[in-house]
Amino acid sequence: MDSVFVFDHPLIQHKISLLRDKNTNTKEFRELVSEIAMLMGYEVTRNMPLKEVEIETPVGIAKTKVISGKKLGIVPILRAGLGMVDGMLRLLPMAKVGHIGLYRDPETLEPVEYYCKLPVDVEEREIVVLDPMLATGGSASAAIQFIKNRGVGSIKLMCLIAAKAGIERIRKDHPDVEIYCAAVDEVLNDHAYIVPGLGDAGDRLFGTK
Ligand code: PRP
Ligand code: URA
């Protein structure tokens, strides 16, 4: 699966274990999601292009490098994707942030859109879509399609736990999109929750259940 990257870094794996634990409280959960997003963001941005510049130091001229090329945008899928924004912005403070609001209809399990606000120059940016959970893949696939409809050519998907079914869905609907995740789980239950997963990411982030 060359378009799927699973992070095996010990720090990420350790924090994912804490995140899965049902005894982890809302405050800890929120901090962990943010920390993991930052650690993953470090790798997701590994291929950003650089250009050479000359910088005047107090003792001379340094030929050195700065990031060049397309600017980045991040797009959390509401609600749970919001938990990953802060960690990414710590690495990329100048990134623009779009928002796509989707919830899964509990009966049909299909994503329903309720909000979409993207940066005005979104088509000039490389976009990273954020959502902790990739279950059936319906929400992420719909979000990616909204962004493509706005003319964006370069999109990555960053999630924490991905079910195999969700990965397959994205590979089928959007073969051009690379998927970055920290764990791949085998199955979904009858309500399309990832098993073992971590439960409802939005509720655990915001303490709504
Ligand atoms: C969760 C999650 C994803 C979606 C994943 O959101 O954050 O967006 O479900 O499921 P899928 O891959 O089957 O589409 P949810 O619909 O629970 O909304 P919330 O973030 O507002 O809680
Ligand atoms: N959304 C969640 O928050 N958790 C799941 O396991 C599946 C969808």
Side-chain angles (χ1 to χ4, degrees):
M1 292 206 281
D2 52 1
S3 60
V4 182
F5 301 88
V6 186
F7 293 116
D8 58 1
H9 193 289
L11 281 175
I12 295 178
Q13 290 303 310
H14 182 83
K15 288 175 192 291
I16 286 286
S17 301
L18 299 175
L19 204 60
R20 286 186 189 271
D21 189 335
K22 67 176 185 184
N23 295 314
T24 296
N25 67 30
T26 299
K27 174 181 178 287
E28 294 160 342
F29 192 91
R30 202 180 289 138
E31 288 168 356
L32 285 163
V33 169
S34 176
E35 287 166 7
I36 298 167
M38 188 175 73
L39 292 169
M40 288 178 72
Y42 182 76
E43 278 299 321
V44 169
T45 52
R46 174 173 287 284
N47 293 324
M48 284 176 102
L50 293 168
K51 67 174 180 198
E52 277 207 358
V53 291
E54 288 190 352
I55 300 279
E56 195 176 344
T57 78
V59 286
I61 301 292
K63 280 192 195 307
T64 181
K65 291 171 183 164
V66 294
I67 289 165
S68 71
K70 277 196 172 184
K71 293 186 186 135
L72 219 95
I74 56 177
V75 178
I77 301 178
L78 307 179
R79 282 178 302 171
L82 286 175
M84 299 168 75
V85 171
D86 175 55
M88 285 294 277
L89 286 180
R90 272 191 268 165
L91 290 180
L92 302 155
M94 301 303 282
K96 294 263 171 75
V97 186
H99 295 86
I100 294 181
L102 294 170
Y103 69 87
R104 279 196 329 185
D105 183 295
E107 302 297 326
T108 65
L109 301 178
E110 287 299 315
V112 181
E113 182 207 347
Y114 60 90
Y115 189 77
C116 182
K117 180 91 178 169
L118 299 174
V120 281
D121 59 353
V122 69
E123 73 283 355
E124 294 164 19
R125 291 177 179 268
E126 187 168 319
I127 296 296
V128 183
V129 176
L130 306 176
D131 196 327
M133 309 305 278
L134 182 67
T136 66
S139 304
S141 180
I144 291 166
Q145 194 56 55
F146 285 133
I147 296 166
K148 282 187 174 175
N149 292 348
R150 287 280 302 272
V152 178
S154 175
I155 303 173
K156 293 180 166 134
L157 172 63
M158 191 169 132
C159 45
L160 304 189
I161 300 186
K164 285 196 166 163
I167 292 177
E168 283 316 310
R169 172 81 186 263
I170 299 300
R171 281 160 60 86
K172 178 170 143 295
D173 293 356
H174 303 289
D176 54 311
V177 171
E178 290 175 347
I179 303 171
Y180 295 82
C181 62
V184 177
D185 281 10
E186 291 290 326
V187 287
L188 302 176
N189 68 14
D190 292 345
H191 304 285
Y193 272 79
I194 301 174
V195 182
L198 51 70
D200 189 304
D203 283 337
R204 294 197 66 187
L205 264 173
F206 298 110
T208 40
K209 232 176 219 167

